[in-house]
């Protein structure tokens, strides 16, 4: 899974923040970067083909909404990063060691809750 490029990331941020699917024109207006409409339309279509955006017809145009959450994206990046590690356990320990105490405590709580919900073998 490749990391989003700068414009892909900006588009996804706008779509994730929106309450409803957006037209390309609405995404362009929210970006406020002086980009060409066709540039935003092309990148939005690429994100749709990659499976990150859904699209639905609205008259002659399309509305784009998220096909996956920001959390799905981040977890995919973490999985990809771990795939490069020679020792995944050491990489995870290094990651957790750098976490603020409150985040590490939350991670321990979540892992414990997940373990409690595992079916018996």
């Amino acid at each position: 899974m490749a990391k989003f490029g700068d414009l892909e990331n900006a588009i996804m941020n706008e779509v994730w923040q929106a309450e409803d699917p957006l037209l390309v024109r609405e995404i362009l207006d929210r970006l406020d970067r002086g980009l060409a409409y066709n540039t935003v339309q092309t990148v939005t279509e690429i994100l749709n083909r990659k499976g990150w955006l859904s699209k639905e017809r609205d008259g002659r145009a399309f509305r784009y909404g998220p096909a996956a959450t920001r959390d799905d994206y981040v977890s995919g990046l973490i999985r990809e990063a771990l795939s490069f590690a020679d020792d995944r356990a050491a990489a995870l320990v290094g990651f957790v060691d750098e976490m603020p105490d409150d985040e590490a405590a939350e991670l321990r709580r979540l892992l414990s809750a997940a373990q409690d919900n595992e079916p018996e073998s």
Side-chain angles (χ1 to χ4, degrees):
M1 174 184 150
K3 179 181 167 190
F4 289 145
D6 182 50
L7 184 53
E8 288 177 319
N9 189 58
I11 289 170
M12 288 304 301
N13 282 333
E14 294 304 329
V15 172
W16 278 324
Q17 290 173 11
E19 291 183 26
D20 297 308
L22 299 171
L23 298 167
V24 170
R25 172 63 56 198
E26 293 169 328
I27 295 169
L28 178 66
D29 292 344
R30 288 171 183 232
L31 291 173
D32 193 32
R33 290 178 159 194
L35 296 167
Y37 178 92
N38 287 346
T39 300
V40 175
Q41 182 178 32
T42 298
V43 175
T44 302
E45 246 333 284
I46 289 168
L47 287 165
N48 172 255
R49 284 195 307 269
K50 289 180 177 181
W52 288 105
L53 293 177
S54 62
K55 91 179 179 181
E56 59 190 51
R57 186 166 286 286
D58 183 1
R60 294 179 57 206
F62 288 97
R63 290 192 173 274
Y64 294 87
T69 67
R70 186 186 311 266
D71 293 337
D72 293 332
Y73 174 65
V74 171
S75 65
L77 291 175
I78 293 168
R79 281 191 305 278
E80 182 180 17
L82 285 172
S83 75
F84 292 106
D86 290 330
D87 183 345
R88 288 175 66 116
L92 285 168
V93 167
F95 177 70
V96 173
D97 281 347
E98 295 296 319
M99 282 182 167
D101 290 342
D102 61 326
E103 288 180 9
E106 178 68 4
L107 179 58
R108 282 192 296 280
R109 185 190 70 71
L110 292 169
L111 290 171
S112 178
Q115 192 172 29
D116 291 345
N117 290 331
E118 284 183 0
E120 297 285 327
S121 303

